[in-house]
Amino acid sequence: AAGNDVKDFTTNELADGVVNGSELVKPTEPEVDTRAPELESAKVTATGRVELTFDEAIDANNPPQAGDFALTVDGETVAIQDVIIVGDKVTLVPVKPIEKDQIVELSYSDPEVED
C-alpha cells in the first residue's frame, strides 16, 4: 500500500548508530614464522642414525632434503638415504649405520634461503 514503503535512511541518524550486540570475536591472523629453526642437539641413535632436535617444529612444506646435509663418519663421506621429520626432530638415515665410537661430523646448507 502507498505510504508503507520504507523511507530512505542512514544509521548515522540514530543516536546510538547500529548497536552491536554480537559476542563473536574476529579471528586473528596467524603469525608468520620468519625465524629458521635452530639446532639444539645432535646424537647418534642406538640404530646408527643421526637424530637432530631443533627449537621448533620443522616446516613440513619445506623439509630439508638428504642432499642438503654433508655427513662424514671417521673422516669419510657417508650418503644419507632418508630424512625423517617428526615435529622438532629430524632423523637422518645413512646408507651405512653409524657404529659405536665412530667420529661423526655433520653440516647442513639450505639451498633456498627464502623458505
Side-chain angles (χ1 to χ4, degrees), residues 30-38 56-57 59 110 112-115:
E31 290 186 29
V32 176
D33 184 359
T34 57
R35 191 180 67 77
E38 293 183 30
E56 66 176 296
D59 182 358
D110 187 351
E112 297 179 33
V113 180
E114 311 80 57
D115 64 3

Side-chain angles (χ1 to χ4, degrees), residues 20-26:
N20 186 344
S22 176
E23 293 183 10
L24 298 176
V25 178
K26 179 180 178 182

Side-chain angles (χ1 to χ4, degrees), residues 49-66:
R49 298 174 174 189
V50 178
E51 182 180 272
L52 308 172
T53 302
F54 291 84
D55 65 347
E56 66 176 296
I58 303 301
D59 182 358
N61 294 320
N62 294 297
Q65 303 298 308

Side-chain angles (χ1 to χ4, degrees), residues 4 13 19 22 32 34-35 38 43 63 75-76 79 82 87 94 98 104 111:
N4 286 336
E13 297 168 351
V19 178
S22 176
V32 176
T34 57
R35 191 180 67 77
E38 293 183 30
K43 70 177 184 179
E76 293 184 25
D82 198 10
I98 299 167
V104 178

Side-chain angles (χ1 to χ4, degrees), residues 33-90:
D33 184 359
T34 57
R35 191 180 67 77
E38 293 183 30
L39 182 64
E40 289 188 331
S41 66
K43 70 177 184 179
V44 176
T45 67
T47 57
R49 298 174 174 189
V50 178
E51 182 180 272
L52 308 172
T53 302
F54 291 84
D55 65 347
E56 66 176 296
I58 303 301
D59 182 358
N61 294 320
N62 294 297
Q65 303 298 308
D68 301 340
F69 295 93
L71 175 65
T72 59
V73 178
D74 286 343
E76 293 184 25
T77 300
V78 176
I80 297 168
Q81 66 181 3
D82 198 10
V83 178
I84 303 166
I85 300 169
V86 179
D88 65 346
K89 295 200 182 323
V90 174

